[in-house]
Amino acid sequence: MSETRENQSSKRRIRIFDTTLRDGEQAPGASIRPEQKIVIARQLARLGVDVIEPGFAISSPGEFQAIRQISRELQGVEICGFARCVRDDIDAAVAATREAARRRLHLFISASQIHLDFQLRKTQDEVIQTIRSMVAYGKQFVDEIEFSPMDASRSSEEFLYRVIESAIDEGATVINVPDTMGYALPEEFGPLFERIRRNVRGGDRIAYSTHCHNDLGLAVANSLAAIRHGVAQVEVCVNGIGERAGNCSLEELVMAIQTRGESLGVETGIRADQIYETSRLVSRTMHVPIAYNKPIVGRNAFQHESGIHQDGLLKNRNTYEIMDPEAMGIPRSMIVLGKHSGRHAIKHRVAEYGFRLADQELEDLYRRFKATADELKIVTDDVLLKLVGESSGVAAEPYALLDLQVLAGTQRTRIASVTIRRNEDGSEASYAASGEGPLEAVIHCIRQAVPVEAEFEDLELHSLSTGEGAFGEAVVTVQYQGARHQGTAVDRDIILAAARAYVSACNAALLSGRSFGEASGQ
């Protein structure tokens, strides 16, 4: 144990600078209200980020007030005010962050010739003079000044040295070298930091940071290259959101460091068990869905359909997983049942619901499963339980949705009615309810029928095809007795799909507590 602690203590600490609320919010369609910023900032603090850049204070009164409240409330994390090299920007950033326990000012100006010629319309000497005057001005208010030469990776190195040297001369304490356009390659970006240290006066006495965009899919790779060459801070966004293709992904960088920390010789202070919750919060709040194949937090990141992979996972998770999803707060759902799945995976999934099938029943289930998988591609749990019932002669689901009717319109309250069967005794009952939306009305109906105090936490809707006859897939997540349970359903009617998915999630919650009768062969 003592040897492990020594190894950990010898690792260099990388500071995580989160700019989800500033650069991340600049992603098209990701803009959020000031009160939503505060909620995300609180979660970022729980996640353990070192620095939060909560916005651009000069941009609006609401933005200013949100930054002020975050600065006042989150005293345990450093708050960074963001500003162009413009006096009014600096004044706003300084005023908004005044109540922070620890704060810094982040100033930036373009450094590439193409930006100077076509955006700033300034000469190099004019840019140098602006940097000197604005860094000196900001230094009157705060001790910590971070300076960023925007588009550094496309700048002339000689001019980049001049720009950085002028900022250091006037009191900058952190130099952030950004790959603003996601243009750099790792093998050229990392060594750039060593050349800056050697060629810039004072370059060996300040801290370095990097801020990489993902236009070529290299943001994490470039950030890791910078770390290998001495960078002490990396600027990131949750889910990799941001301008264009986004920024360096917080969760990808952090888990790369955690998984390969011995090789990299570094660590972070991020609490991994908060990663999934933070990712979901940002996705929901900013209305930016997470790609299925997104590393770490994507739906498919820890799911496996191949029969070979599934068999290996069931024997030892490390055969096909290099990280533990549950350590990141991700629900354990590693097996996705589809046409490539084998008997072992099907038997395992059925057993998770408490059912033990005889050999002949399992063979019959496998045959039915394969026929269904060819048609549906993925066999969801509610479909699988129906197939179990057909193979065993006993209904596997505690409750089944038999009928649904919804009345919706622009000038009326949404009204729904459902008929639910309790499979244990075959009884059927109908329920009616209203809601602000048709799905809310349906959920209110089902809650009357299914006796499980499960919180409806999340709904995902996905189109599985195109055209008027497209199928929609609904994934509903509920929380029950401290655990998350998912239900999935597919239908051309998305309200019906969501209703079936909700009933399936409630069934999963009930079966997890073994509160329903035993199936045959158990």
Side-chain angles (χ1 to χ4, degrees):
M1 181 63 74
S2 61
E3 183 178 331
T4 302
R5 285 176 179 164
E6 286 177 11
N7 290 339
Q8 289 177 342
S9 64
S10 68
K11 291 178 182 176
R12 183 164 58 92
R13 170 72 179 269
I14 301 299
R15 289 170 62 80
I16 299 299
F17 177 116
D18 186 273
T19 184
T20 303
L21 297 175
R22 198 276 300 171
D23 200 337
E25 197 193 10
Q26 291 171 202
S31 181
I32 56 176
R33 299 188 303 275
E35 60 271 23
Q36 295 174 313
K37 281 201 167 198
I38 295 160
V39 173
I40 292 177
R42 290 172 185 148
Q43 179 59 31
L44 291 172
R46 284 191 288 271
L47 178 65
V49 302
D50 298 287
V51 186
I52 295 176
E53 189 170 63
F56 192 17
I58 194 70
S59 64
S60 75
E63 185 90 339
F64 182 95
Q65 291 302 328
I67 296 170
R68 171 177 281 179
Q69 183 172 342
I70 290 168
S71 300
R72 180 187 302 128
E73 181 179 327
L74 301 180
Q75 296 287 295
V77 60
E78 187 174 355
I79 304 298
C80 182
F82 183 74
R84 295 168 296 183
C85 283
V86 175
R87 187 173 290 235
D88 287 347
D89 282 27
I90 295 171
D91 289 341
V94 168
T97 59
R98 183 169 287 120
E99 296 179 71
R102 291 180 293 126
R103 66 169 173 165
R104 75 171 67 169
L105 182 62
H106 184 185
L107 302 180
F108 76 97
I109 195 169
S110 290
S112 67
Q113 196 60 46
I114 191 169
H115 280 204
L116 268 61
D117 291 343
F118 295 100
Q119 185 178 30
L120 295 182
R121 300 186 184 279
K122 291 179 180 287
T123 66
Q124 291 186 354
D125 287 342
E126 287 173 330
V127 169
I128 295 294
Q129 182 55 44
T130 298
I131 293 169
R132 288 189 176 276
S133 61
M134 290 299 98
V135 172
Y137 179 70
K139 193 69 174 179
Q140 300 176 78
F141 307 107
V142 297
D143 294 327
E144 293 292 325
I145 298 277
E146 177 174 332
F147 174 74
S148 293
M150 189 162 70
D151 204 19
S153 57
R154 294 197 300 167
S155 302
S156 142
E157 283 200 21
E158 290 73 17
F159 181 56
L160 184 61
Y161 300 156
R162 288 183 62 201
V163 163
I164 293 172
E165 191 170 283
S166 64
I168 294 173
D169 285 347
E170 300 302 331
T173 54
V174 178
I175 296 298
N176 177 58
V177 181
D179 182 24
T180 306
M181 300 307 301
Y183 177 75
L185 298 175
E187 59 267 27
E188 61 191 22
F189 190 62
L192 173 62
F193 290 89
E194 294 185 5
R195 294 196 295 275
I196 290 171
R197 283 194 194 88
R198 288 197 307 268
N199 291 286
V200 170
R201 185 175 65 250
D204 58 349
R205 57 181 170 80
I206 50 90
Y208 286 91
S209 172
T210 192
H211 177 117
C212 297
H213 279 258
N214 204 39
D215 297 71
L216 294 176
L218 295 172
V220 173
N222 280 326
S223 298
L224 290 172
I227 287 171
R228 284 191 177 276
H229 289 269
V231 162
Q233 173 184 280
V234 179
E235 305 192 1
V236 297
C237 286
V238 175
N239 297 335
I241 63 170
E243 294 272 10
R244 306 180 314 279
N247 291 268
C248 177
S249 162
L250 180 150
E251 59 279 0
E252 292 178 30
L253 180 82
V254 166
M255 292 312 300
I257 290 173
Q258 182 168 312
T259 304
R260 302 304 309 275
E262 295 302 322
S263 174
L264 293 167
V266 297
E267 63 184 359
T268 75
I270 293 296
R271 302 180 186 96
D273 62 342
Q274 293 294 316
I275 285 176
Y276 187 64
E277 188 62 38
T278 308
S279 170
R280 287 165 57 85
L281 175 63
V282 169
S283 176
R284 289 195 306 262
T285 306
M286 292 188 167
H287 304 293
V288 179
I290 300 170
Y292 280 7
N293 64 334
K294 170 79 167 64
I296 315 300
V297 294
R299 178 175 169 182
N300 291 350
F302 295 97
Q303 292 187 342
H304 310 263
E305 185 185 337
S306 162
I308 295 172
H309 286 214
Q310 290 176 350
D311 183 57
L313 283 162
L314 293 173
K315 292 172 180 173
N316 187 314
R317 189 185 66 225
N318 292 328
T319 53
Y320 288 100
E321 286 185 354
I322 60 172
M323 294 168 280
D324 179 4
E326 290 172 303
M328 292 175 277
I330 300 173
R332 167 57 66 185
S333 53
M334 66 182 182
I335 302 297
V336 174
L337 298 179
K339 68 178 183 179
H340 301 109
S341 299
R343 290 174 178 81
H344 289 299
I346 297 169
K347 183 178 180 180
H348 174 77
R349 178 57 60 83
V350 169
E352 286 185 324
Y353 284 108
F355 295 95
R356 302 289 185 272
L357 300 180
D359 290 344
Q360 187 57 45
E361 291 173 333
L362 181 60
E363 283 304 310
D364 184 70
L365 173 62
Y366 184 69
R367 178 180 56 78
R368 294 174 187 270
F369 173 88
K370 285 294 186 179
T372 303
D374 277 336
E375 181 180 350
L376 298 181
K377 296 199 296 187
I378 291 178
V379 178
T380 58
D381 284 358
D382 62 321
V383 173
L384 178 64
L385 290 176
K386 286 185 177 69
L387 297 178
V388 170
E390 292 171 5
S391 298
S392 65
V394 177
E397 300 171 285
Y399 293 90
L401 176 64
L402 300 183
D403 184 58
L404 179 147
Q405 298 290 329
V406 179
L407 180 63
T410 57
Q411 303 296 324
R412 66 189 72 185
T413 302
R414 280 65 171 174
I415 300 172
S417 65
V418 301
T419 300
I420 301 286
R421 181 177 64 222
R422 186 171 186 267
N423 286 326
E424 189 170 25
D425 57 15
S427 61
E428 298 178 9
S430 297
Y431 304 86
S434 61
E436 292 186 14
L439 181 58
E440 183 180 28
V442 170
I443 298 305
H444 287 169
C445 291
I446 297 171
R447 280 178 175 158
Q448 297 176 59
V450 180
V452 55
E453 295 297 324
E455 177 189 352
F456 190 106
E457 184 181 77
D458 195 32
L459 166 66
E460 297 177 31
L461 290 172
H462 309 281
S463 176
L464 299 182
S465 53
T466 58
E468 295 177 357
F471 280 88
E473 179 192 41
V475 181
V476 170
T477 304
V478 301
Q479 275 212 23
Y480 178 62
Q481 295 181 346
R484 285 191 173 96
H485 302 275
Q486 278 191 342
T488 307
V490 176
D491 201 277
R492 284 192 173 94
D493 184 328
I494 58 173
I495 299 298
L496 180 56
R500 285 176 172 162
Y502 178 59
V503 172
S504 177
C506 290
N507 280 334
L510 287 167
L511 288 169
S512 70
R514 299 293 189 266
S515 58
F516 186 68
E518 302 290 322
S520 69
Q522 287 191 329

